[in-house]
Amino acid sequence: MISYCPEKINNSAFSSGFGGSGHKQGTCIAFSVRAESADSVFLVGTFNNWSEAHPLEKVCSDMWQITLSDVEISDGDAYKFKVYREGGTFY
């Protein structure tokens, strides 16, 4: 398993350790990550007790995304992308 340090949400754009990003616009925060061989991707973090409650949607062959309201996630919350693919789980 590969593990990256959790990222922190801030007031503007932010990025994860392996090509993922997020951007806060108004009352929404959009996250996206490039995960070429993924079968599924989840946004996990302190805001959801590190559960798989927030699956990302596959929008093209290697790009996944989700948009959350700032009611669900806020400044200072830590997050990671949890990626499932054949052969294992990666963060």
Side-chain angles (χ1 to χ4, degrees), residues 14-64:
F14 43 93
S15 64
S16 78
F18 66 104
S21 65
H23 187 76
K24 188 170 184 178
Q25 290 184 288
T27 61
C28 294
I29 303 174
F31 295 87
S32 61
V33 65
R34 178 160 278 140
E36 193 171 303
S37 302
D39 295 318
S40 59
V41 180
F42 295 88
L43 182 66
V44 300
T46 54
F47 62 94
N48 67 8
N49 294 315
W50 302 98
S51 75
E52 295 178 359
H54 295 92
L56 278 72
E57 177 183 357
K58 189 172 188 176
V59 294
C60 64
S61 64
D62 62 352
M63 187 61 67
W64 298 75

Side-chain angles (χ1 to χ4, degrees), residues 64-83:
W64 298 75
Q65 70 181 21
I66 188 171
T67 301
L68 302 177
S69 72
D70 62 2
V71 173
E72 298 171 281
I73 190 168
S74 59
D75 288 352
D77 280 333
Y79 74 94
K80 290 184 180 184
F81 295 101
K82 187 172 186 180
V83 179

